[in-house]
Amino acid sequence: MICKSSSRLINIAPMDINEYYEKLTTLTKDGSKPALGRIEEALALKEAAKPDDAVEAARFDSVTYQVLAAMLDRENVDHSYDVEMLQVLTLGAEAMVAGQIERSLKDYRLLVDTLIAECTVSFDMLQLTVGRIVAALRKTVYNHDRYGVLDAFIRRAAKAVDNGEEVDRDAVADMARELYRLDNLLSIHGADDEAILKFITEDELLEIRENPQEGYLKKDPIEYSRRWENVYYDVKDELDKRFADTPRGMGFCFEYWHAMADILAKEHRILWRNPHLMNPSVIFD
């Protein structure tokens, strides 16, 4: 897995992320150098340029992997760089979460789905990288993207089984369960049941259909809608500003949820029931 350059670090003057993006883009568009050489140079530049602050450093990481993904996408016409593409997409997703820029993961499935279906990497590597991308998406509100990635993966896994490839059935079964829960929670009902049933039983499929809940706490179904995905981070930004100087002690969650419901209703015409209303027997503080 790509993690850092093996070259010696270069010495550069401090730069902001926009200057870094321009320098990185120029580097990756230099067609006179092989792609793998440009990747190495880009990673060396990243290590030299990114700040000490962990969140800001993760944002530099995110920019790096997005630019590298765009470069490889242009040049991966014959699947020569499938391994590197999966690596930078995985690391990019994780960096966006670490950099607290989760909204950048919206529509991430569009970068991943076709690659999952067509890439030539080993199934073990595909399973590892897709699992990490899904884990990153799980930390966002983009459930439709998580669904799309899981759906593409399970369809590919079913083909791998049919072709006699070695598959970690237990790990794939967990991903099949997650896919089918989302299929019901999002009211898509488009997952390939035949593919899913290669990894879990019919009885388990029916059990998930009857109770597709994810996790211990119930959520308002609106949280599994595209409308929620489209407005959530804007609302969160507004709340962060409103409560910037408010102590977040015991009972703060109720004040926060009340304000959130108010913004959602007045500005977005979304009626939302908070976790306490959805789980009246649970004590929140």
Side-chain angles (χ1 to χ4, degrees):
M1 178 67 72
I2 293 173
C3 57
K4 63 180 180 180
S5 170
S6 59
S7 334
R8 64 181 179 84
L9 294 183
I10 53 179
N11 293 317
I12 60 173
M15 64 180 76
D16 66 27
I17 201 162
N18 293 317
E19 293 174 309
Y20 174 69
Y21 172 79
E22 293 297 330
K23 188 178 290 288
L24 186 66
T25 301
T26 300
L27 185 158
T28 56
K29 287 183 176 178
D30 183 359
S32 67
K33 300 176 181 178
L36 296 182
R38 279 174 277 158
I39 290 175
E40 186 173 351
E41 288 187 24
L43 294 176
L45 178 66
K46 171 176 72 72
E47 291 304 310
K50 70 181 185 181
D52 293 331
D53 178 79
V55 173
E56 285 300 316
R59 293 176 182 177
F60 273 70
D61 289 345
S62 172
V63 168
T64 305
Y65 298 129
Q66 288 182 73
V67 171
L68 287 175
M71 179 194 83
L72 290 169
D73 188 51
R74 293 191 300 268
E75 302 183 23
N76 196 31
V77 291
D78 58 356
H79 295 282
S80 297
Y81 303 114
D82 282 351
V83 169
E84 291 77 13
M85 274 290 290
L86 278 170
Q87 290 175 335
V88 298
L89 288 172
T90 301
L91 293 167
E94 293 172 339
M96 289 172 197
V97 172
Q100 299 174 11
I101 48 173
E102 294 92 343
R103 70 175 75 221
S104 299
L105 281 163
K106 183 175 174 58
D107 295 329
Y108 210 69
R109 71 190 184 283
L110 301 178
L111 300 174
V112 181
D113 290 3
T114 301
L115 187 60
I116 292 173
E118 299 177 357
C119 69
T120 58
V121 304
S122 69
F123 189 81
D124 280 349
M125 181 185 179
L126 184 65
Q127 181 178 308
L128 172 64
T129 52
V130 170
R132 287 172 58 172
I133 291 170
V134 168
L137 287 168
R138 204 180 293 130
K139 296 174 183 177
T140 76
V141 298
Y142 298 128
N143 292 310
H144 286 83
D145 284 275
R146 180 159 56 105
Y147 173 89
V149 173
L150 283 165
D151 186 49
F153 174 75
I154 294 301
R155 292 173 190 268
R156 174 66 183 268
K159 290 180 180 178
V161 169
D162 290 341
N163 293 335
E165 295 180 52
E166 190 71 26
V167 172
D168 182 344
R169 285 184 163 274
D170 290 339
V172 175
D174 285 340
M175 297 172 81
R177 294 182 189 100
E178 184 172 356
L179 167 64
Y180 201 64
R181 288 190 190 97
L182 284 172
D183 195 52
N184 286 272
L185 289 166
L186 299 172
S187 299
I188 293 177
H189 308 301
D192 187 338
D193 286 10
E194 185 176 339
I196 292 173
L197 286 169
K198 291 184 184 294
F199 305 101
I200 62 176
T201 66
E202 180 77 38
D203 287 344
E204 191 169 5
L205 202 71
L206 294 173
E207 184 180 338
I208 292 171
R209 189 182 302 165
E210 291 175 4
N211 181 29
Q213 179 179 319
E214 290 191 304
Y216 174 68
L217 295 177
K218 293 180 180 179
K219 294 181 179 180
D220 189 321
I222 196 68
E223 295 186 37
Y224 288 96
S225 70
R226 290 191 184 276
R227 290 179 66 202
W228 180 268
E229 293 179 8
N230 289 336
V231 306
Y232 175 81
Y233 289 111
D234 291 336
V235 173
K236 183 177 181 296
D237 287 347
E238 186 170 344
L239 290 168
D240 286 345
K241 292 177 183 177
R242 181 179 301 188
F243 292 110
D245 300 319
T246 303
R248 303 199 174 199
M250 184 173 293
F252 171 76
C253 63
F254 296 102
E255 184 179 1
Y256 187 91
W257 289 337
H258 177 77
M260 185 172 185
D262 188 58
I263 294 171
L264 285 165
K266 291 180 178 178
E267 298 184 15
H268 303 285
R269 301 179 66 185
I270 292 175
L271 299 179
W272 172 68
R273 291 169 291 176
N274 66 47
H276 178 61
L277 294 175
M278 293 299 299
N279 303 272
S281 62
V282 177
I283 298 175
F284 294 91
D285 60 10

